[in-house]
Amino acid sequence: MTLPKRVKLVEVGPRDGLQNEPVPVPTAVKVELIHRLQDAGLTYIEATAFVSPKWVPQMADNAQVMAGISRKPGVCYPVLVPNRKGLEAARAAGCEEVVVFAAATEAFSQKNTNCSIAEGLARFTEVAREARAHGLRVRGDISVGLGCPYEGEVRPEAVVSIARALDEMGCYEITIADTIGAGTAGKTRAVFEAVMRHLPVKRLAGHFHDTYGQAIANTYAALECGVGVFDSSVAGLGGCPYAKGATGNVATEDVLYLLDGLGIETGVDMAKLIAAGDYICGVLGRPTSSRAARAFAAKRQAA
Ligand code: HMG
Ligand code: MG
């Protein structure tokens, strides 16, 4: 299959990237990061999560983050919502798009959302109905699509069944996530091909964590399947609190370097994106996890 000419990058750094930080990140820093990301040309920025603050304390300032953002026309700020309570809070904060997140295994569903897959899907069906009735768009994420920290191998059929459920409840886009970054290119292809037997590829997205250094290879495998939407995190920040040892998402800079090299349009400016990564890494006091950002910095220093 020919590669897509244009890719939509969904920046998840402010949410997936920061949700696992042990030290509280000030709201003003999160807002500044989002502003820098939108200035770099990103038009989908997962801003925060309206989840339980007892479960994920780092996202407790969700409403303040939403209130602090200077919303740029043409930019969408999706937020994670696990239940009705989260949806109500997201609506009160003026969110226009919500993300529901189901798991492909029972064990991960219990750890991440304290309920079975079936209970979670029933809850999300209600959330999606309510959200859509109020004019909000709904995106669906499938966790542990390429491997589970508790159950190990995940069969593509398990992912297919969640994808179909998310489709039936009205998710306009469905993301297959490699939560623990254990997937490889062959497995990535197999899971997308399995889901593509039921849903058009233009409705699918990839969300790869980079624990085993496979995320760029997996992105390319998904591109070859025709996938044109990818979640990524500036500076490769992040990790899921319920997937111990899993590292951050693939760095947005690294995905952009791949896409720029392939001549695939994204509308994102590499220099500004790297500057946004430098900003958040400076605040967190740690080096970037982006290989491309490190290479560009070394080149700058050598010049
Ligand atoms: P629970 O404890 O079963 O919920 O958690 P509950 O309904 O029994 O409520 C317990 C308490 O939480 C109550 O407060 C509720 O009001 C409160 P209390 O009466 O004890 O004071 N509560 C809430 N407060 C604020 N906002 C809410 C909310 N809901 C309940 N929305 C629940 C169930 C689903 C809420 C919890 O398990 C939860 O919040 N889970 C989210 C975990 C999470 O955010 N994980 C990380 C994001 S997913 C991810 O990173 C994966 C992804 O990147 C893709 C991938 O890589 O796989 C998307
Ligand atoms: Mg994730």
Side-chain angles (χ1 to χ4, degrees), residues 32 59 62 72 88 92 138 169 273:
E32 175 68 18
M59 296 287 112
N62 40 35
K72 187 175 167 185
E88 276 160 25
V138 185
M169 70 178 79
L273 177 62

Side-chain angles (χ1 to χ4, degrees), residues 143-166:
S143 284
V144 296
L146 286 163
C148 174
Y150 311 104
E151 295 188 22
E153 285 289 318
V154 173
R155 289 174 306 110
E157 296 71 44
V159 180
V160 167
S161 120
I162 307 294
R164 294 182 77 175
L166 293 173

